[in-house]
Amino acid sequence: MREKSTSILHQIANRKTIKKARITYHVIWNLFLLFFIIALLGSTFAAGIGAGYFASLLKDEPIRPYESMKKDIYNYTETTNLYFADNVYLGKLQTDLEREEVKLDQISKFLIQGIIATEDEYFYQHHGVVPKAILRAMYQELANSAVKSGGSTITQQLIKNQLLTNEVSFQRKAKEIILALRLEKFFSKKEILEAYLNVATFGRNSSGRNIAGVQAAAKGLFGKNASELSLAQSAFIAGLPQSPFGYTPYTRSGELKHNLEPGISRMQTVLSRMRERGFITETEFSDAVAYDIKKDFILSKENPLEKYPWLTVEIEKRAINLLAEHLAKEDGYHKGDLSKNHALYSKYLLQASHDLKQKGYGIHTTINKDIYDAMEKAKDAYRFYGPDKPQKVVDPETKQLKTVMEPVEVGAMLIENKTGKIISFVGGRDHQKQQLNHATSAIRQNGSTMKPLLVYAPAIELGKASPGTVLPDVALSLSPLIDRPWPTNYDKRYNGLVTARTALAKSLNVPAVKLYTDIVGDRPAKYLKKMGFTTLDAEDYTNLATSIGSLKKGVTIEENTNAFSTFANGGKFIDAYLIDKILDKNGNVIYMHKTQPVTVFTPQTAYLALDMMRDVIKKGTAAGIKNKLAFHSDWAGKTGTGVEFHDSWFVAFNPNVTFGIWTGYDTPKSLETKNGLSYSQRTNYLWANLMNAAYRKNPKLIASKKSFKAPEGIVSLPYCAVSGLLPTMECSMAGLVDKDLYNVKFAPSIMDDSLIEGKFVKVGGRNYLSSSLTPSDFSRRGLLLSPDFLNRMTDKNFKDTSQLIPKKDRWAVILVSDSKLKENGKIPSVVTVKQEGKKLTWFPVPESDIIGYRVYRSGFFSTRVASIPAGKRLSFTAENGTYFVTAVDISGNESAQSNTVTIGSDKEINNEQPPIIP
């Protein structure tokens, strides 16, 4: 019974277990089906979205036929040609990139195997892309993985190099994938591999130039053909495409790097992968790893293609911008669209840069080869740049501070006025030491060369000034932010009342800023913008220091020089240009420069301004160049000095050309030196040397025989040298009438109000106005500056009006009254007189309102025999007789008589008659 009962219980338990198991199974199975269906639907949905997004990225991509793709893939040998003016050949654009075509059967098998092992191990199996690799790369990118294996096949890399750009975007990647699949249908693996090996980038060669293609790499690194490479050499080159400039053994100057380990480590990785793929044996691997590859790198070679480094870089930069605008125009965009949309502009710049290196353009420039070469020689031969000065810099390799000796640099620009052609420029002293093109890219303060551009020409244009306008050069406080006189002149001296013509010729700061305060409300910086200034800041429109060249950022030598050509062109600005035309490889014109003059000033303003600038060279700050030039021409121009003597300028023009020069240190520091030529002389003489060099190559262009002619509306009129207004009789009688040129529209129409006839007293070397009570024996008559004129010429803080009178003989007739002498309300104190022989002497009375002393001879009537102004020698040589002295104040009050002094005996006194003094 017990056994039967146990059996029955087991059966019941087993039935329950089976039932539970069945229930559990059905539940799990149903859940599995549910999750599977959800996953399937989700995957299908995601795949649909992905496919739709992928399709949207390709909606603008045309279906490229075989001929089109073949043409683009094999377009790697057609580089752009550059030309000087007049179709003189310059060379290839890619002077920093060497490429030499080679066939696949002329390449070492080790190099081919190394490339496949490291760049695309499934090259012979896939059809253009490897989905697994793409997904892995996408995951690593999204996960921000530290290790990124890359997802591009050799086919994709070829597409990116030849058909697309290096733009980082999903759209570019989508195009790359679809084009790679299409390329694999048209081309054999051999054709694809050969094309890739001819276009891939391999870093730098022993001349420091960039290289592309395995043949250029083999020659540039090891001095041999690609077919002659050893296993180790092949592996080193095969490792370069991953990071060409990280693994390359050479610096930009062509020197071997101190640290070659990154490239050697990469070579060992390539060898390891070649062994893993079965391309080489264990023995070959060991031998190659142990091989000293360093001894195979060839020594640095001279780069003959760098004769025109600044020029070729400048051509490329400008050509890319022009081509970008051309490409955008073809797609329906305007130049304004590019300036508003940075991303759009960047896209076309990338495309233009790519096309410029691939499509065999012909770029024709305005540069005159003979003049350019001559200027380079003259620049190199010049011996008076000034001393090198120490400068701390960060070493690019060690990241430590080190001291280098920084030379004085130069930038210069020569422009043809009527066309805007850049005939020549000087980019710097030594391109190997400093690659910055100082003529086109260095932004510096333009100092006093700003004055005719921003102050004098705009003031003439607005009718606020003429060459004969009189301005104060005295210690004025023109800045409310500075608690002292500002500005000051560079020589720290003042010249009194000067004309605008003189102020510009001598480059005086105070008159320029004073005039600028009268016109700054009219925003004269708008004229700078019309003349091509691109770096203006909002504060440059209101800051008074802008008038003397202190800009927020600065200006380039090209822009500053170009602005001066406006005066030579009768007030019209013609934008300077360097690229005349761009042709495609078939000779079709895709760009041709068109000159578009912009009216800035009237012809009358332009002529008056240039006539003032003639004086800069005739008798002003650039007078020294006359004896340095080997030819004569009608020159006008302006010198300039930056803050703290950091920048030195000279820009001048004749009817044909405008030539501007700048010198300074790249790290701003003073150009002043204790001995030898001044900084301005060094700059001016270099300007003359460069002009002489250009003249010897093209006299007709440089030494214009024509002179600037005055346009209609220019008249010569007299003016009073004190005020600049129409001369009065007083001004004429004083001999202070001059003549100058005027725009008849703004000729003086108001009579001079600066001079008034008046009386004054002179005390202690200073002049004080006489009052109605001032005795006539101490008052003088003369011409005084009127109070209204003084208020107009100075400011409320200005006290010493004697500064206004220039220290010149003709101005001696003007007697400046400093102020009124305040009367103290008291009768002057009594004078004490002493006798020394026949000489009477006395000490001054210690009162501030005393204007002089009277000497009397006593008698029945006391007779005044002398009036001696205060401040003069207080003595009187008398005849026989009895004398006394009194003190007189500004209001005519006279002291009591002093003690009497008798000279001679009574008999002698009685025999002499005293002189009568009115």
Side-chain angles (χ1 to χ4, degrees):
M1 285 291 291
R2 188 168 52 250
E3 292 177 357
K4 190 173 182 179
S5 298
T6 302
S7 175
I8 291 171
L9 289 173
H10 285 175
Q11 289 178 9
I12 292 171
N14 287 339
R15 288 195 191 103
K16 290 181 178 180
T17 301
I18 292 171
K19 184 176 181 180
K20 287 180 180 179
R22 286 176 178 171
I23 292 171
T24 301
Y25 169 75
H26 285 299
V27 170
I28 293 173
W29 174 252
N30 288 332
L31 288 173
F32 171 76
L33 289 177
L34 178 62
F35 283 118
F36 175 77
I37 292 170
I38 291 173
L40 181 62
L41 291 174
S43 300
T44 303
F45 182 71
I49 292 176
Y53 178 65
F54 187 82
S56 71
L57 295 175
L58 298 171
K59 62 184 177 66
D60 296 326
E61 175 63 24
I63 299 176
R64 306 195 187 203
Y66 168 74
E67 289 300 328
S68 174
M69 295 191 76
K70 180 178 180 180
K71 178 181 176 182
D72 290 334
I73 289 298
Y74 289 107
N75 193 27
Y76 48 78
T77 58
E78 297 180 76
T79 53
T80 293
N81 291 303
L82 309 180
Y83 298 87
F84 289 103
D86 303 320
N87 209 35
V88 177
Y89 186 66
L90 169 59
K92 298 286 186 183
L93 173 67
Q94 295 177 335
T95 53
D96 193 40
L97 176 65
E98 284 193 3
R99 178 189 282 120
E100 188 174 339
E101 184 180 1
V102 66
K103 297 298 181 183
L104 194 63
D105 56 9
Q106 297 173 322
I107 301 173
S108 166
K109 68 172 184 177
F110 292 129
L111 181 51
I112 295 173
Q113 292 167 347
I115 289 289
I116 291 175
T118 53
E119 295 297 316
D120 191 353
E121 61 180 302
Y122 302 112
F123 176 69
Y124 289 109
Q125 286 79 44
H126 64 65
H127 298 290
V129 296
V130 179
K132 179 177 69 174
I134 294 174
L135 293 173
R136 181 176 65 244
M138 290 177 62
Y139 171 76
Q140 291 171 346
E141 186 67 32
L142 293 172
N144 197 25
S145 173
V147 178
K148 292 181 171 63
S149 57
S152 294
T153 64
I154 284 176
T155 311
Q156 288 175 264
Q157 293 181 54
L158 180 61
I159 290 293
K160 181 177 69 174
N161 286 334
Q162 296 300 95
L163 275 73
L164 302 175
T165 68
N166 290 323
E167 177 189 5
V168 179
S169 69
F170 286 117
Q171 185 178 42
R172 199 271 299 158
K173 195 68 177 178
K175 290 180 180 181
E176 178 186 298
I177 291 171
I178 201 69
L179 289 172
L181 293 171
R182 190 165 183 79
L183 186 67
E184 289 273 351
K185 289 185 177 182
F186 290 147
F187 293 84
S188 67
K189 290 291 185 180
K190 178 181 177 181
E191 290 174 316
I192 293 172
L193 184 60
E194 181 180 289
Y196 173 79
L197 292 173
N198 276 291
V199 301
T201 303
F202 291 93
R204 300 187 191 94
N205 63 12
S206 60
S207 295
R209 284 170 286 175
N210 298 339
I211 47 178
V214 293
Q215 178 72 350
K219 287 186 174 182
L221 272 63
F222 303 112
K224 56 176 64 176
N225 292 318
S227 61
E228 302 168 339
L229 294 171
S230 68
L231 173 58
Q233 293 167 346
S234 296
F236 190 91
I237 291 176
L240 292 173
Q242 186 190 62
S243 179
F245 299 101
Y247 297 143
T248 183
Y250 297 104
T251 65
R252 291 181 64 178
S253 61
E255 301 293 332
L256 271 175
K257 291 181 177 178
H258 296 300
N259 183 15
L260 296 172
E261 288 307 312
I264 294 175
S265 177
R266 176 64 179 167
M267 178 193 77
Q268 293 170 351
T269 300
V270 173
L271 289 169
S272 179
R273 292 183 181 179
M274 291 177 71
R275 180 187 59 181
E276 292 171 4
R277 305 297 185 269
F279 290 134
I280 59 175
T281 65
E282 187 67 36
T283 301
E284 289 174 318
F285 169 77
S286 300
D287 291 344
V289 168
Y291 185 75
D292 183 13
I293 194 70
K294 296 179 183 178
K295 65 182 179 63
D296 288 353
F297 294 127
I298 59 178
L299 298 177
S300 176
K301 291 183 178 180
E302 184 182 1
N303 188 350
L305 298 179
E306 287 192 348
K307 184 176 181 181
Y308 301 100
W310 280 298
L311 178 55
T312 52
V313 170
E314 191 65 28
I315 294 171
E316 181 176 6
K317 180 176 71 174
R318 296 186 185 222
I320 288 173
N321 285 317
L322 292 173
L323 278 176
E325 294 173 10
H326 170 73
L327 293 170
K329 186 176 180 181
E330 286 188 330
D331 290 344
Y333 295 104
H334 297 287
K335 190 175 181 179
D337 299 326
L338 299 181
S339 62
K340 295 175 184 176
N341 190 329
H342 179 73
L344 183 67
Y345 193 28
S346 296
K347 169 189 171 183
Y348 283 109
L349 286 174
L350 279 170
Q351 185 63 51
S353 179
H354 175 270
D355 288 358
L356 202 62
K357 294 176 174 64
Q358 298 291 331
K359 294 194 173 182
Y361 293 113
I363 302 178
H364 294 256
T365 73
T366 60
I367 300 295
N368 183 298
K369 182 181 185 300
D370 292 339
I371 292 179
Y372 189 93
D373 289 343
M375 282 189 166
E376 284 293 301
K377 290 181 181 178
K379 172 259 297 184
D380 293 338
Y382 191 63
R383 298 183 294 111
F384 304 108
Y385 285 100
D388 295 355
K389 291 189 177 182
Q391 178 64 40
K392 290 189 178 298
V393 298
V394 177
D395 189 293
E397 293 189 2
T398 66
K399 308 302 180 185
Q400 300 295 316
L401 276 178
K402 65 177 183 180
T403 300
V404 298
M405 297 304 291
E406 195 173 56
V408 176
E409 278 292 354
V410 60
M413 179 69 63
L414 177 63
I415 300 171
E416 185 178 52
N417 297 328
K418 64 182 179 181
T419 63
K421 291 179 179 178
I422 297 176
I423 303 300
S424 182
F425 66 82
V426 175
R429 297 273 299 277
D430 186 344
H431 187 267
Q432 289 188 347
K433 294 179 179 179
Q434 174 57 279
Q435 287 76 47
L436 174 68
N437 189 333
H438 297 87
T440 63
S441 302
I443 297 177
R444 304 294 294 232
Q445 302 297 311
N446 66 346
S448 291
T449 61
M450 181 66 90
K451 292 172 183 174
L453 304 173
L454 182 62
V455 181
Y456 292 105
I460 294 171
E461 182 76 5
L462 295 167
K464 300 292 181 67
S466 295
T469 296
V470 175
L471 300 165
D473 183 33
V474 294
L476 298 180
S477 298
L478 296 176
S479 173
L481 303 177
I482 301 177
D483 188 23
R484 56 178 171 76
W486 181 91
T488 58
N489 297 320
Y490 273 100
D491 61 4
K492 306 300 182 183
R493 293 182 294 182
Y494 299 104
N495 297 271
L497 294 172
V498 295
T499 61
R501 180 184 291 278
T502 299
L504 182 61
K506 292 186 175 182
S507 200
L508 304 177
N509 288 338
V510 180
V513 178
K514 180 65 169 66
L515 179 57
Y516 192 61
T517 60
D518 296 337
I519 64 171
V520 69
D522 294 295
R523 295 176 66 81
K526 64 189 177 186
Y527 294 105
L528 298 180
K529 193 168 185 180
K530 283 186 176 183
M531 290 186 282
F533 279 45
T534 61
T535 54
L536 293 175
D537 193 81
E539 69 180 59
D540 293 329
Y541 283 80
T542 56
N543 187 1
L544 294 181
T546 306
S547 63
I548 51 177
S550 290
L551 291 154
K552 178 70 178 295
K553 298 173 183 174
V555 64
T556 67
I557 286 83
E558 178 181 345
E559 289 177 347
N560 207 37
T561 304
N562 198 183
F564 274 80
S565 67
T566 304
F567 301 112
N569 289 323
K572 294 184 182 296
F573 172 72
I574 296 177
D575 200 9
Y577 68 100
L578 187 140
I579 295 180
D580 190 42
K581 60 184 176 181
I582 301 177
L583 310 178
D584 66 18
K585 64 182 179 181
N586 297 317
N588 300 313
V589 177
I590 64 170
Y591 168 80
M592 177 72 76
H593 179 81
K594 293 181 181 179
T595 297
Q596 297 177 322
V598 175
T599 298
V600 182
F601 302 117
T602 63
Q604 292 76 22
T605 295
Y607 183 78
L608 292 176
L610 77 82
D611 190 62
M612 291 168 66
M613 284 187 276
R614 280 169 166 157
D615 281 5
V616 173
I617 295 171
K618 289 178 181 177
K619 53 186 177 182
T621 53
I625 71 162
K626 292 180 292 185
N627 296 327
K628 296 294 180 179
L629 286 174
F631 61 96
H632 297 283
S633 192
D634 188 3
W635 288 106
K638 185 69 188 77
T639 58
T641 303
V643 176
E644 302 295 334
F645 307 98
H646 289 170
D647 305 277
S648 180
W649 292 81
F650 181 46
V651 186
F653 54 91
N654 65 19
N656 279 2
V657 296
T658 300
F659 183 51
I661 190 171
W662 162 91
T663 63
Y665 294 94
D666 280 324
T667 307
K669 50 178 69 71
S670 176
L671 286 162
E672 281 192 306
T673 54
K674 294 182 179 179
N675 302 312
L677 297 173
S678 69
Y679 67 91
S680 58
Q681 287 176 314
R682 298 196 299 267
T683 302
N684 293 353
Y685 294 169
L686 177 56
W687 182 95
N689 280 16
L690 294 172
M691 273 288 87
N692 287 336
Y695 166 74
R696 286 189 285 270
K697 294 300 179 181
N698 195 330
K700 185 177 180 181
L701 174 67
I702 303 301
S704 172
K705 300 300 182 184
K706 298 179 181 179
S707 294
F708 292 110
K709 302 298 182 185
E712 291 185 2
I714 297 296
V715 294
S716 178
L717 296 172
Y719 66 92
C720 181
V722 182
S723 64
L725 303 176
L726 291 176
T728 57
M729 183 178 295
E730 289 83 358
C731 187
S732 299
M733 291 177 64
L736 290 170
V737 177
D738 288 328
K739 292 186 72 174
D740 212 324
L741 301 178
Y742 292 87
N743 181 345
V744 68
K745 180 179 177 181
F746 301 117
S749 58
I750 302 174
M751 299 300 291
D752 173 56
D753 64 348
S754 63
L755 299 175
I756 57 174
E757 188 176 356
K759 294 182 179 181
F760 70 98
V761 293
K762 197 174 187 71
V763 178
R766 298 184 66 180
N767 300 326
Y768 297 93
L769 284 175
S770 299
S771 72
S772 59
L773 300 176
T774 304
S776 60
D777 55 327
F778 290 104
S779 291
R780 303 182 185 184
R781 288 188 175 275
L783 293 175
L784 304 174
L785 296 179
S786 70
D788 289 342
F789 175 76
L790 292 174
N791 291 335
R792 189 166 71 240
M793 281 290 166
T794 60
D795 57 51
K796 62 181 181 180
N797 297 317
F798 187 73
K799 302 299 182 185
D800 186 9
T801 54
S802 64
Q803 290 184 23
L804 288 165
I805 305 303
K807 294 178 175 60
K808 296 180 179 179
D809 292 342
R810 65 185 294 216
W811 286 83
V813 296
I814 305 297
L815 305 172
V816 178
S817 176
D818 290 339
S819 62
K820 291 182 178 180
L821 191 62
K822 187 176 181 181
E823 202 269 325
N824 64 11
K826 300 178 181 179
I827 299 298
S829 301
V830 176
V831 180
T832 300
V833 181
K834 294 182 179 180
Q835 176 185 356
E836 296 176 1
K838 287 195 172 186
K839 181 182 291 187
L840 308 180
T841 62
W842 61 94
F843 290 105
V845 174
E847 295 174 21
S848 60
D849 61 346
I850 302 301
I851 62 172
Y853 300 86
R854 288 172 175 161
V855 180
Y856 290 91
R857 181 170 180 173
S858 297
F860 185 76
F861 294 104
S862 293
T863 307
R864 176 163 50 91
V865 295
S867 295
I868 299 175
K872 285 196 172 185
R873 185 186 295 271
L874 300 183
S875 65
F876 177 74
T877 302
E879 301 294 335
N880 294 329
T882 301
Y883 298 88
F884 65 88
V885 177
T886 62
V888 183
D889 69 15
I890 187 71
S891 295
N893 298 313
E894 191 170 4
S895 70
Q897 68 180 45
S898 69
N899 57 300
T900 59
V901 175
T902 300
I903 298 175
S905 62
D906 291 341
K907 183 179 180 181
E908 292 173 325
I909 294 172
N910 292 330
N911 290 333
E912 293 184 7
Q913 295 296 323
I916 299 175
I917 304 298

